[in-house]
Amino acid sequence: LIETRYVDKVDRNNLIENAINGILEDLDPHSIYLEKEYVTDVNNSMEGNFRGIGIESHMMHDTAIIIKVVEKSPAFNAGLRQFDKIIKINNNKVAGVKMQFDSIKHIIKSSKDIVNLEILQYSTKKALIKNIKIDDIPVHSADISYLLNDSVGFIQIKQFSANTYNEFMEAFEE
């Protein structure tokens, strides 16, 4: 009724989210509404992979800085490294424009097959343009394992996912 008869045009999804949040306000503090994108990200990390180029980044001041590059990922193969700065994505400037970090992440993930990045390399201070394939990136739970002595071993589990048990057992057997 609002969509067809209201005097101004309205965003249906926004109205629905506001209505859901209004209903949840009267419930206990543990009842919250999670947006679809957030749930998708959480589910992907729990499944042991995510769709992207294989970087973890963080917003520092007004620029996205690469914090981690997943080994053997498309970003790694393209030469991206820790502390490189993301300047442009698909020819749109994202550094120095006070863009929200979620927007930068969304631009990369919404690229179909390839994302074009201009980065400022930390090691050389040179700007480089890279076309990087969007792919499924595996997330490993048990990525470090070794023997401390003849009877004690160490297996690091950095997060839990659907693959954690199998990765743990493989590391244990090794």
Side-chain angles (χ1 to χ4, degrees), residues 136-157:
D136 289 326
I137 310 298
V139 177
H140 297 287
S141 301
D143 59 343
I144 298 173
S145 61
Y146 53 88
L147 279 175
L148 295 171
N149 58 41
D150 288 341
S151 61
V152 178
F154 174 84
I155 301 172
Q156 175 182 317
I157 297 176

PDB file of all heavy atoms in Angstrom, residues 136-157:
ATOM      1  N   ASP A 136      37.258 -18.331  -5.437  1.00  0.00           N
ATOM      2  CA  ASP A 136      36.980 -18.874  -4.115  1.00  0.00           C
ATOM      3  C   ASP A 136      38.315 -19.053  -3.400  1.00  0.00           C
ATOM      4  O   ASP A 136      39.217 -19.734  -3.908  1.00  0.00           O
ATOM      5  CB  ASP A 136      36.248 -20.219  -4.201  1.00  0.00           C
ATOM      6  CG  ASP A 136      34.812 -20.047  -4.674  1.00  0.00           C
ATOM      7  OD1 ASP A 136      34.204 -19.013  -4.334  1.00  0.00           O
ATOM      8  OD2 ASP A 136      34.297 -20.936  -5.368  1.00  0.00           O
ATOM      9  N   ILE A 137      38.448 -18.441  -2.236  1.00  0.00           N
ATOM     10  CA  ILE A 137      39.686 -18.468  -1.477  1.00  0.00           C
ATOM     11  C   ILE A 137      39.489 -19.382  -0.272  1.00  0.00           C
ATOM     12  O   ILE A 137      38.621 -19.136   0.556  1.00  0.00           O
ATOM     13  CB  ILE A 137      40.073 -17.050  -0.983  1.00  0.00           C
ATOM     14  CG1 ILE A 137      40.038 -16.030  -2.118  1.00  0.00           C
ATOM     15  CG2 ILE A 137      41.405 -17.077  -0.256  1.00  0.00           C
ATOM     16  CD1 ILE A 137      40.994 -16.275  -3.239  1.00  0.00           C
ATOM     17  N   PRO A 138      40.301 -20.447  -0.167  1.00  0.00           N
ATOM     18  CA  PRO A 138      40.160 -21.319   1.002  1.00  0.00           C
ATOM     19  C   PRO A 138      40.665 -20.635   2.263  1.00  0.00           C
ATOM     20  O   PRO A 138      41.648 -19.906   2.240  1.00  0.00           O
ATOM     21  CB  PRO A 138      41.027 -22.534   0.651  1.00  0.00           C
ATOM     22  CG  PRO A 138      41.995 -22.041  -0.358  1.00  0.00           C
ATOM     23  CD  PRO A 138      41.329 -20.902  -1.090  1.00  0.00           C
ATOM     24  N   VAL A 139      39.964 -20.868   3.365  1.00  0.00           N
ATOM     25  CA  VAL A 139      40.372 -20.347   4.664  1.00  0.00           C
ATOM     26  C   VAL A 139      40.790 -21.557   5.500  1.00  0.00           C
ATOM     27  O   VAL A 139      39.974 -22.431   5.771  1.00  0.00           O
ATOM     28  CB  VAL A 139      39.224 -19.587   5.369  1.00  0.00           C
ATOM     29  CG1 VAL A 139      39.647 -19.122   6.739  1.00  0.00           C
ATOM     30  CG2 VAL A 139      38.771 -18.425   4.512  1.00  0.00           C
ATOM     31  N   HIS A 140      42.056 -21.599   5.857  1.00  0.00           N
ATOM     32  CA  HIS A 140      42.562 -22.740   6.622  1.00  0.00           C
ATOM     33  C   HIS A 140      42.502 -22.438   8.110  1.00  0.00           C
ATOM     34  O   HIS A 140      42.893 -21.361   8.559  1.00  0.00           O
ATOM     35  CB  HIS A 140      43.990 -23.074   6.188  1.00  0.00           C
ATOM     36  CG  HIS A 140      44.060 -23.496   4.752  1.00  0.00           C
ATOM     37  ND1 HIS A 140      43.604 -24.716   4.326  1.00  0.00           N
ATOM     38  CD2 HIS A 140      44.506 -22.850   3.650  1.00  0.00           C
ATOM     39  CE1 HIS A 140      43.766 -24.814   3.020  1.00  0.00           C
ATOM     40  NE2 HIS A 140      44.311 -23.691   2.595  1.00  0.00           N
ATOM     41  N   SER A 141      42.009 -23.398   8.873  1.00  0.00           N
ATOM     42  CA  SER A 141      41.874 -23.241  10.321  1.00  0.00           C
ATOM     43  C   SER A 141      43.165 -23.580  11.045  1.00  0.00           C
ATOM     44  O   SER A 141      43.604 -22.863  11.922  1.00  0.00           O
ATOM     45  CB  SER A 141      40.780 -24.168  10.852  1.00  0.00           C
ATOM     46  OG  SER A 141      39.564 -23.889  10.237  1.00  0.00           O
ATOM     47  N   ALA A 142      43.743 -24.716  10.700  1.00  0.00           N
ATOM     48  CA  ALA A 142      44.954 -25.203  11.364  1.00  0.00           C
ATOM     49  C   ALA A 142      46.117 -24.993  10.411  1.00  0.00           C
ATOM     50  O   ALA A 142      46.500 -25.890   9.668  1.00  0.00           O
ATOM     51  CB  ALA A 142      44.799 -26.672  11.734  1.00  0.00           C
ATOM     52  N   ASP A 143      46.675 -23.798  10.427  1.00  0.00           N
ATOM     53  CA  ASP A 143      47.699 -23.480   9.434  1.00  0.00           C
ATOM     54  C   ASP A 143      49.130 -23.636   9.941  1.00  0.00           C
ATOM     55  O   ASP A 143      50.064 -23.623   9.169  1.00  0.00           O
ATOM     56  CB  ASP A 143      47.484 -22.071   8.883  1.00  0.00           C
ATOM     57  CG  ASP A 143      47.529 -20.998   9.943  1.00  0.00           C
ATOM     58  OD1 ASP A 143      47.412 -21.326  11.126  1.00  0.00           O
ATOM     59  OD2 ASP A 143      47.673 -19.821   9.579  1.00  0.00           O
ATOM     60  N   ILE A 144      49.312 -23.801  11.250  1.00  0.00           N
ATOM     61  CA  ILE A 144      50.651 -23.986  11.809  1.00  0.00           C
ATOM     62  C   ILE A 144      50.636 -25.230  12.682  1.00  0.00           C
ATOM     63  O   ILE A 144      49.775 -25.387  13.549  1.00  0.00           O
ATOM     64  CB  ILE A 144      51.077 -22.764  12.656  1.00  0.00           C
ATOM     65  CG1 ILE A 144      51.148 -21.510  11.780  1.00  0.00           C
ATOM     66  CG2 ILE A 144      52.407 -23.024  13.344  1.00  0.00           C
ATOM     67  CD1 ILE A 144      51.403 -20.235  12.554  1.00  0.00           C
ATOM     68  N   SER A 145      51.598 -26.120  12.437  1.00  0.00           N
ATOM     69  CA  SER A 145      51.723 -27.301  13.286  1.00  0.00           C
ATOM     70  C   SER A 145      53.170 -27.771  13.260  1.00  0.00           C
ATOM     71  O   SER A 145      53.825 -27.733  12.230  1.00  0.00           O
ATOM     72  CB  SER A 145      50.791 -28.416  12.803  1.00  0.00           C
ATOM     73  OG  SER A 145      51.112 -28.807  11.494  1.00  0.00           O
ATOM     74  N   TYR A 146      53.653 -28.185  14.441  1.00  0.00           N
ATOM     75  CA  TYR A 146      55.014 -28.718  14.524  1.00  0.00           C
ATOM     76  C   TYR A 146      55.192 -29.437  15.854  1.00  0.00           C
ATOM     77  O   TYR A 146      54.402 -29.281  16.784  1.00  0.00           O
ATOM     78  CB  TYR A 146      56.069 -27.624  14.353  1.00  0.00           C
ATOM     79  CG  TYR A 146      55.914 -26.431  15.265  1.00  0.00           C
ATOM     80  CD1 TYR A 146      56.482 -26.413  16.532  1.00  0.00           C
ATOM     81  CD2 TYR A 146      55.190 -25.315  14.850  1.00  0.00           C
ATOM     82  CE1 TYR A 146      56.340 -25.326  17.364  1.00  0.00           C
ATOM     83  CE2 TYR A 146      55.044 -24.214  15.683  1.00  0.00           C
ATOM     84  CZ  TYR A 146      55.626 -24.222  16.938  1.00  0.00           C
ATOM     85  OH  TYR A 146      55.479 -23.144  17.763  1.00  0.00           O
ATOM     86  N   LEU A 147      56.253 -30.249  15.935  1.00  0.00           N
ATOM     87  CA  LEU A 147      56.585 -30.957  17.166  1.00  0.00           C
ATOM     88  C   LEU A 147      57.482 -30.083  18.025  1.00  0.00           C
ATOM     89  O   LEU A 147      58.489 -29.568  17.548  1.00  0.00           O
ATOM     90  CB  LEU A 147      57.315 -32.267  16.848  1.00  0.00           C
ATOM     91  CG  LEU A 147      56.443 -33.442  16.436  1.00  0.00           C
ATOM     92  CD1 LEU A 147      57.313 -34.627  16.035  1.00  0.00           C
ATOM     93  CD2 LEU A 147      55.503 -33.840  17.557  1.00  0.00           C
ATOM     94  N   LEU A 148      57.117 -29.933  19.292  1.00  0.00           N
ATOM     95  CA  LEU A 148      57.962 -29.200  20.228  1.00  0.00           C
ATOM     96  C   LEU A 148      59.096 -30.099  20.733  1.00  0.00           C
ATOM     97  O   LEU A 148      60.221 -29.660  20.914  1.00  0.00           O
ATOM     98  CB  LEU A 148      57.139 -28.683  21.413  1.00  0.00           C
ATOM     99  CG  LEU A 148      56.083 -27.639  21.053  1.00  0.00           C
ATOM    100  CD1 LEU A 148      55.179 -27.367  22.246  1.00  0.00           C
ATOM    101  CD2 LEU A 148      56.743 -26.350  20.594  1.00  0.00           C
ATOM    102  N   ASN A 149      58.764 -31.366  20.977  1.00  0.00           N
ATOM    103  CA  ASN A 149      59.764 -32.380  21.336  1.00  0.00           C
ATOM    104  C   ASN A 149      59.177 -33.737  20.951  1.00  0.00           C
ATOM    105  O   ASN A 149      58.182 -33.796  20.231  1.00  0.00           O
ATOM    106  CB  ASN A 149      60.155 -32.278  22.818  1.00  0.00           C
ATOM    107  CG  ASN A 149      58.972 -32.421  23.749  1.00  0.00           C
ATOM    108  OD1 ASN A 149      58.100 -33.256  23.538  1.00  0.00           O
ATOM    109  ND2 ASN A 149      58.914 -31.592  24.784  1.00  0.00           N
ATOM    110  N   ASP A 150      59.743 -34.826  21.449  1.00  0.00           N
ATOM    111  CA  ASP A 150      59.288 -36.164  21.042  1.00  0.00           C
ATOM    112  C   ASP A 150      57.860 -36.499  21.470  1.00  0.00           C
ATOM    113  O   ASP A 150      57.230 -37.374  20.895  1.00  0.00           O
ATOM    114  CB  ASP A 150      60.232 -37.230  21.607  1.00  0.00           C
ATOM    115  CG  ASP A 150      61.572 -37.220  20.892  1.00  0.00           C
ATOM    116  OD1 ASP A 150      61.632 -36.674  19.769  1.00  0.00           O
ATOM    117  OD2 ASP A 150      62.544 -37.750  21.462  1.00  0.00           O
ATOM    118  N   SER A 151      57.350 -35.812  22.480  1.00  0.00           N
ATOM    119  CA  SER A 151      56.027 -36.177  22.987  1.00  0.00           C
ATOM    120  C   SER A 151      55.009 -35.040  22.979  1.00  0.00           C
ATOM    121  O   SER A 151      53.865 -35.233  23.346  1.00  0.00           O
ATOM    122  CB  SER A 151      56.159 -36.733  24.413  1.00  0.00           C
ATOM    123  OG  SER A 151      56.703 -35.741  25.258  1.00  0.00           O
ATOM    124  N   VAL A 152      55.417 -33.833  22.562  1.00  0.00           N
ATOM    125  CA  VAL A 152      54.506 -32.690  22.577  1.00  0.00           C
ATOM    126  C   VAL A 152      54.494 -32.014  21.204  1.00  0.00           C
ATOM    127  O   VAL A 152      55.539 -31.695  20.640  1.00  0.00           O
ATOM    128  CB  VAL A 152      54.913 -31.654  23.659  1.00  0.00           C
ATOM    129  CG1 VAL A 152      53.985 -30.450  23.611  1.00  0.00           C
ATOM    130  CG2 VAL A 152      54.909 -32.279  25.030  1.00  0.00           C
ATOM    131  N   GLY A 153      53.290 -31.831  20.691  1.00  0.00           N
ATOM    132  CA  GLY A 153      53.126 -31.134  19.413  1.00  0.00           C
ATOM    133  C   GLY A 153      52.303 -29.877  19.592  1.00  0.00           C
ATOM    134  O   GLY A 153      51.617 -29.700  20.610  1.00  0.00           O
ATOM    135  N   PHE A 154      52.380 -29.009  18.619  1.00  0.00           N
ATOM    136  CA  PHE A 154      51.636 -27.745  18.646  1.00  0.00           C
ATOM    137  C   PHE A 154      50.846 -27.635  17.348  1.00  0.00           C
ATOM    138  O   PHE A 154      51.406 -27.776  16.258  1.00  0.00           O
ATOM    139  CB  PHE A 154      52.609 -26.564  18.765  1.00  0.00           C
ATOM    140  CG  PHE A 154      51.936 -25.220  18.664  1.00  0.00           C
ATOM    141  CD1 PHE A 154      51.347 -24.640  19.773  1.00  0.00           C
ATOM    142  CD2 PHE A 154      51.886 -24.539  17.453  1.00  0.00           C
ATOM    143  CE1 PHE A 154      50.721 -23.405  19.679  1.00  0.00           C
ATOM    144  CE2 PHE A 154      51.262 -23.310  17.348  1.00  0.00           C
ATOM    145  CZ  PHE A 154      50.682 -22.737  18.464  1.00  0.00           C
ATOM    146  N   ILE A 155      49.544 -27.415  17.460  1.00  0.00           N
ATOM    147  CA  ILE A 155      48.685 -27.165  16.307  1.00  0.00           C
ATOM    148  C   ILE A 155      47.906 -25.898  16.603  1.00  0.00           C
ATOM    149  O   ILE A 155      47.158 -25.835  17.580  1.00  0.00           O
ATOM    150  CB  ILE A 155      47.707 -28.329  16.035  1.00  0.00           C
ATOM    151  CG1 ILE A 155      48.473 -29.630  15.790  1.00  0.00           C
ATOM    152  CG2 ILE A 155      46.796 -27.998  14.858  1.00  0.00           C
ATOM    153  CD1 ILE A 155      47.589 -30.861  15.702  1.00  0.00           C
ATOM    154  N   GLN A 156      48.085 -24.894  15.777  1.00  0.00           N
ATOM    155  CA  GLN A 156      47.372 -23.629  15.974  1.00  0.00           C
ATOM    156  C   GLN A 156      46.076 -23.644  15.189  1.00  0.00           C
ATOM    157  O   GLN A 156      46.078 -23.887  13.982  1.00  0.00           O
ATOM    158  CB  GLN A 156      48.225 -22.456  15.500  1.00  0.00           C
ATOM    159  CG  GLN A 156      47.481 -21.136  15.562  1.00  0.00           C
ATOM    160  CD  GLN A 156      48.312 -19.981  15.056  1.00  0.00           C
ATOM    161  OE1 GLN A 156      49.474 -19.870  15.372  1.00  0.00           O
ATOM    162  NE2 GLN A 156      47.703 -19.128  14.257  1.00  0.00           N
ATOM    163  N   ILE A 157      44.987 -23.374  15.874  1.00  0.00           N
ATOM    164  CA  ILE A 157      43.685 -23.209  15.214  1.00  0.00           C
ATOM    165  C   ILE A 157      43.323 -21.747  15.355  1.00  0.00           C
ATOM    166  O   ILE A 157      43.069 -21.266  16.448  1.00  0.00           O
ATOM    167  CB  ILE A 157      42.610 -24.114  15.841  1.00  0.00           C
ATOM    168  CG1 ILE A 157      42.997 -25.582  15.646  1.00  0.00           C
ATOM    169  CG2 ILE A 157      41.237 -23.826  15.226  1.00  0.00           C
ATOM    170  CD1 ILE A 157      42.071 -26.556  16.302  1.00  0.00           C
TER     171      ILE A 157
END
